[in-house]
Amino acid sequence: MLVAPGKGGPRLVALNRAAEEGGLVAGELLSNARSKILDLQSCAADPAADDAALQRLALWCLRYTPMVAPWDEVNGADGLFLDITGCAHLFGGEAGLLADLAGRLRRFNLRPRLAIADTPGAAWALARYGRADSMIAPPNGAERALQDLPLAALRLSEETQVLLRRLGFRRIGDVIRQPRAPLAARFGAHFHNRLDQTLGRAPEPLSPLAPPPVYRAQASFVEAITTQAHVVEAATHLLSNLAEDFTRDGVGARKLRLLLFRMDGELLSLTIGLAAPSRDARHIASLIALRLDRLPSGLEADFGFEAAGLHVLAAERMPERQALLAVADEIGDPTGLSRLIDRLEQRLGAGAVRRIHPRQSHIPERAVLLRHATDGPPAEWAIDVPCNTRPLLLLPRPEAAEVMALIPEGPPRQFRWRGVLHQVAQAEGPERIAGEWWRQAGDEIERDYYFVEDAAGRRFWLYRAGLYGRDGATPQWFVHGVFP
Amino acid sequence: MQPVLSISRRHRIAALRETVAGMEHALPGATPAYLPFGLPEIDRHLPGWGLTCGALHEVIAATHGDRAASFGFVVALTAGSLAVRRGPAMLIAARRCFADFGEPYGHGLRRLGLDVGRLVLVETRLDKDALWAMEEALRPEVAAAAIAGAVEGDLDLAMSRRLNLAAAGSGAPFILLRPPAMAGTSAAATRWRVTTAPAARDRFGTFARCRWNLTLERCRNGRPGHWLIEWDHVAHRFGLAEILADCAPSAGAGQDSRRLAG
């Protein structure tokens, strides 16, 4: 059993069956419990681990329905809502689904209490306070099914419950039959809201785990699969199932999630992004294979995967193009390039494939921006701006150089950089680049750039930071780039 | 007058040949196209009037200090190819290749005449990944205008054969930049060695064009040679440096005149 610090000392939070049979109840002081049972074993409760476990279970439940919502604080945060609208028939009706779920959960050594009802509130009440471990309320039969349940099943605050009990209400059936107005005046709108939500008269929005993808495919396997080749094949199969929907709607997948359900309840989830929408099963399967190669500890298929799901997280309109006679435009055949980018990103990691975008700035290192190639080609380079002398290779940060100049503000005569002395044969400049005063950096000082060629014909880009005679300090020189 | 005419006629034939090759390129079993330098002095040394598209070409810096120049030559070839061919250009390099002198700079690439908007950069952690990425980029369906690669380590004969084969399938010129002092056997169609040279200057003594000492060390079905070339980034054209015609004043004279003017 688990304890947590509470009012007056550690109190019991959760009990196992043996403790319950010993007459203990949750909320009791640990010292009282010890006096009742001598050889009591207790552990500290770990709510964070509980949450994580519930989250894992919620992900696992995605095998039944895409709408899974963990209970929030008000609901006790120890269970899940599954919206099985339109899903039950896949598992042999509601009863079949419930039996399947109960069987699997028992195999995980859990003691589930399950209920199916018209509303989340009614299902919650039945699961919490119902007589049997798994119950099904018939459609529109929530009122009758709930009649005998205690008032706590309405998810009311503690004071409201105490007050209602003092007024003589014990069961839900008692309050349903009462006129609404006096009760509303006494307990506020919240009371009736809860009642209506439970009975399906008011909507109760759930916050599902993940937004349900519009395109998804699911497959369970007769025998668990363990090898990577089989996983890729299964994914290809799922994709070809989706291909028809894609073609019908004229869209392609831009981002996918492959879910692999392992026999022991673990879930492996892979997200795959594409540079351009695609509906080609073979191409996406090859990306999945590359992604599986990149898993840090390989494909951990201890017991094998019993089911797989493929959710399309983002789909985009895909222009139809003729397969063979497509005329490549200036940028080139976009499908070939975007597929290459996909493959490279899957193997080398996101951010390995980039394009250079221009940026409006005078400061050389700020004047370009490297962005993911999936963002598309830059349009701005096409604008014909006169370009000044700029180096082909720019050092990641300017490196200090010892420079000798004939006159203080003049071009360098010779300089030592990385331990090598360069005699300057030709120097052009200066090009003065002032700091960007609107950036409020404060330490931005103007730089005088010189294009310098040494005696061997090597070309460098040097700058002097600041001017002579300011603050009495000697300005420093830096090498910022090299020319071809 | 006669030789000039014949050269221009040869040029025209070469250009026509290239156009036809470009048309035939989409068909299987197409003849390889060429990327001409536009200089008969160099093109004469190469089989088929220019760099063979769909083959591996190696560029090696003569010394560590010439790495920027050798990269400049690769960029110039890529820019030339982008000007005449369709599709994107890929620059695939292991991270270590640009560790010494910095990363390629967009405005600098543009200054060499490269269409930066069509350039895709691929940066990998290891040479092995870079070589894999090059093979992927050389697939025919990518239809790249040019593929430039850079590796830092040694390249064995088997790998260079693989790359050459992949390039043959792609039909795009594939230029591989290799570090200095790496000159083992390889299956490359050509190997160029680049040394930096003092730049071409206009009559005011200011910088006009980059100049490189270019040595064609090895060339399959061609002859080696040595030239001093310059790259005209506006016209996307190489030129042979005419040393005698260079009217740039010497360094000392430049200093003097500037002082007088000041």
Side-chain angles (χ1 to χ4, degrees):
Chain A
M1 76 179 201
L2 299 172
V3 292
K7 204 170 153 191
R11 284 176 183 273
L12 309 190
V13 183
L15 310 164
N16 63 5
R17 192 166 286 180
E20 273 175 10
E21 280 163 7
L24 301 183
V25 283
E28 208 169 356
L29 274 172
L30 178 61
S31 46
N32 292 355
R34 277 200 201 288
S35 64
K36 282 185 197 161
I37 300 173
L38 288 175
D39 51 346
L40 198 62
Q41 291 178 355
S42 66
C43 291
D46 185 354
D50 285 347
D51 274 355
L54 188 66
Q55 204 71 18
R56 268 209 310 280
L57 194 65
L59 285 172
W60 178 82
C61 284
L62 286 174
R63 71 195 301 287
Y64 290 103
T65 163
M67 279 276 283
V68 175
W71 291 357
D72 54 14
E73 217 41 65
V74 186
N75 294 330
D78 55 355
L80 302 166
F81 287 125
L82 272 66
D83 184 353
I84 55 162
T85 312
C87 299
H89 70 277
L90 298 172
F91 299 89
E94 291 180 349
L97 189 146
L98 216 56
D100 185 61
L101 181 57
R104 281 173 197 274
L105 288 174
R106 280 204 194 95
R107 244 182 284 154
F108 299 158
N109 261 338
L110 296 173
R111 215 152 34 101
R113 291 187 57 89
L114 309 167
I116 294 179
D118 291 351
T119 63
W124 186 90
L126 285 174
R128 267 284 164 104
Y129 299 97
R131 266 184 220 100
D133 269 354
S134 58
M135 298 179 75
I136 300 177
N140 300 321
E143 211 171 310
R144 217 176 41 237
L146 294 176
Q147 257 183 359
D148 289 339
L149 296 187
L151 283 172
L154 281 179
R155 294 179 286 173
L156 299 169
S157 67
E158 197 63 41
E159 304 110 77
T160 317
Q161 283 183 43
V162 171
L163 217 55
L164 280 167
R165 221 170 294 137
R166 211 174 286 163
L167 292 172
F169 298 115
R170 291 273 179 275
R171 311 261 144 216
I172 293 181
D174 301 342
V175 283
I176 291 177
R177 279 187 291 272
Q178 293 302 317
R180 288 172 73 91
L183 278 177
R186 184 74 185 75
F187 298 105
H190 182 69
F191 168 73
H192 269 118
N193 192 28
R194 274 300 188 204
L195 188 62
D196 289 346
Q197 278 182 349
T198 307
L199 295 177
R201 293 183 203 138
E204 181 176 359
L206 298 177
S207 49
L209 206 57
V214 184
Y215 300 98
R216 55 177 181 263
Q218 200 98 355
S220 348
F221 312 122
V222 180
E223 202 152 311
I225 57 171
T226 50
T227 64
Q228 182 171 329
H230 286 158
V231 170
V232 173
E233 201 174 308
T236 319
H237 178 70
L238 291 174
L239 274 162
S240 42
N241 287 352
L242 289 177
E244 265 177 42
D245 294 350
F246 283 152
T247 318
R248 184 194 61 216
D249 298 348
V251 295
R254 191 69 204 271
K255 202 170 171 200
L256 303 135
R257 181 175 289 156
L258 179 68
L259 300 168
L260 295 169
F261 299 91
R262 219 162 69 179
M263 290 283 267
D264 55 351
E266 284 291 319
L267 177 81
L268 182 72
S269 158
L270 300 172
T271 311
I272 288 145
L274 284 94
S278 168
R279 60 173 87 123
D280 184 350
R282 268 218 325 248
H283 170 58
I284 297 174
S286 74
L287 296 182
I288 289 173
L290 284 170
R291 183 78 181 74
L292 288 171
D293 281 340
R294 211 158 58 86
L295 286 180
S297 48
L299 184 67
E300 289 176 344
D302 302 350
F303 303 98
F305 300 103
E306 53 175 353
L310 193 76
H311 295 182
V312 177
L313 303 180
E316 266 180 26
R317 285 231 146 261
M318 197 169 130
E320 298 285 344
R321 53 176 62 244
Q322 213 161 345
L324 280 173
L325 291 170
V327 178
D329 50 37
E330 263 300 290
I331 305 297
D333 178 20
T335 52
L337 181 63
S338 59
R339 285 180 181 202
L340 171 68
I341 292 170
D342 287 343
R343 282 198 299 274
L344 295 176
E345 287 224 317
Q346 289 307 323
R347 159 95 183 241
L348 306 172
V353 189
R354 291 178 296 181
R355 285 178 190 270
I356 309 174
H357 290 245
R359 191 151 52 156
Q360 293 297 326
S361 174
H362 297 298
I363 311 290
E365 60 267 30
R366 280 196 205 121
V368 290
L369 186 66
L370 284 172
R371 290 175 65 180
H372 287 205
T374 42
D375 294 347
E380 302 92 327
W381 284 108
I383 303 164
D384 196 37
V385 271
C387 45
N388 294 324
T389 310
R390 289 289 178 267
L392 182 62
L393 296 169
L394 194 75
L395 291 168
R397 57 174 51 103
E399 290 177 18
E402 291 169 36
V403 168
M404 208 182 79
L406 284 183
I407 46 171
E409 305 276 305
R413 193 72 194 146
Q414 66 176 39
F415 66 98
R416 187 185 289 278
W417 176 50
R418 290 180 178 174
V420 180
L421 189 68
H422 300 269
Q423 294 292 338
V424 174
Q426 295 272 354
E428 280 175 33
E431 178 190 352
R432 177 162 298 176
I433 297 178
E436 294 178 334
W437 51 266
W438 57 90
R439 291 180 68 90
Q440 292 187 329
D443 57 350
E444 294 279 358
I445 42 177
E446 57 273 84
R447 309 168 178 177
D448 280 355
Y449 276 95
Y450 288 90
F451 167 73
V452 159
E453 187 174 272
D454 73 358
R458 296 176 60 187
R459 292 169 275 270
F460 301 91
W461 210 35
L462 271 78
Y463 75 85
R464 190 186 57 235
L467 303 166
Y468 281 93
R470 182 184 288 174
D471 310 331
T474 318
Q476 240 200 321
W477 284 83
F478 295 92
V479 176
H480 202 178
V482 289
F483 290 86
Chain B
M1 237 24 220
Q2 197 55 39
V4 178
L5 265 179
S6 78
I7 284 170
S8 77
R9 190 188 293 159
R10 270 187 194 168
H11 262 288
R12 201 173 295 166
I13 289 171
L16 279 172
R17 231 183 241 162
E18 201 194 337
T19 320
V20 173
M23 288 170 172
E24 286 174 346
H25 188 65
L27 304 172
T31 51
Y34 298 97
L35 189 67
F37 276 81
L39 297 168
E41 290 83 349
I42 298 180
D43 289 338
R44 249 204 315 260
H45 286 247
L46 298 165
W49 286 87
L51 277 189
T52 318
C53 295
L56 169 65
H57 303 280
E58 287 180 336
V59 175
I60 297 179
T63 63
H64 186 69
D66 297 316
R67 298 185 73 143
S70 61
F71 181 60
F73 180 60
V74 171
V75 171
L77 287 176
T78 311
S81 182
L82 270 179
V84 295
R85 293 170 65 94
R86 289 200 185 108
M90 314 278 304
L91 175 60
I92 301 162
R95 206 164 293 161
R96 270 191 311 149
C97 297
F98 295 117
D100 269 357
F101 290 112
E103 300 262 328
Y105 182 56
H107 295 276
L109 292 168
R110 217 170 101 79
R111 202 170 152 71
L112 275 186
L114 188 90
D115 186 353
V116 183
R118 285 161 69 192
L119 181 71
V120 178
L121 295 180
V122 182
E123 197 183 64
T124 68
R125 213 160 51 80
L126 302 170
D127 271 0
K128 200 180 64 167
D129 291 332
L131 292 169
W132 173 83
M134 287 173 211
E135 267 196 81
E136 288 287 314
L138 284 168
R139 287 189 183 198
E141 69 262 24
V142 177
I147 291 154
V151 285
E152 194 57 26
D154 206 358
L155 188 72
D156 60 356
L157 185 61
M159 194 63 219
S160 71
R161 274 207 190 114
R162 263 184 88 135
L163 288 175
N164 199 31
L165 267 179
S170 135
F174 175 37
I175 307 144
L176 185 66
L177 184 64
R178 295 180 60 187
M182 292 281 181
T185 49
S186 83
T190 60
R191 176 182 292 161
W192 304 84
R193 189 174 289 272
V194 184
T195 320
T196 182
R201 299 193 170 268
D202 61 13
R203 59 204 177 91
F204 304 108
T206 54
F207 171 84
R209 285 177 296 281
C210 300
R211 268 187 189 166
W212 304 303
N213 271 308
L214 194 62
T215 312
L216 179 55
E217 279 193 345
R218 291 187 31 197
C219 179
R220 211 190 299 143
N221 304 327
R223 289 174 293 140
H226 177 86
W227 306 273
L228 177 61
I229 59 156
E230 51 189 42
W231 170 247
D232 185 344
H233 61 270
V234 181
H236 296 110
R237 201 176 47 186
F238 286 100
L240 278 188
E242 295 155 34
I243 309 275
L244 291 177
D246 193 356
C247 54
S250 69
Q255 288 290 332
D256 284 348
S257 60
R258 216 165 295 156
R259 210 172 299 160
L260 280 176

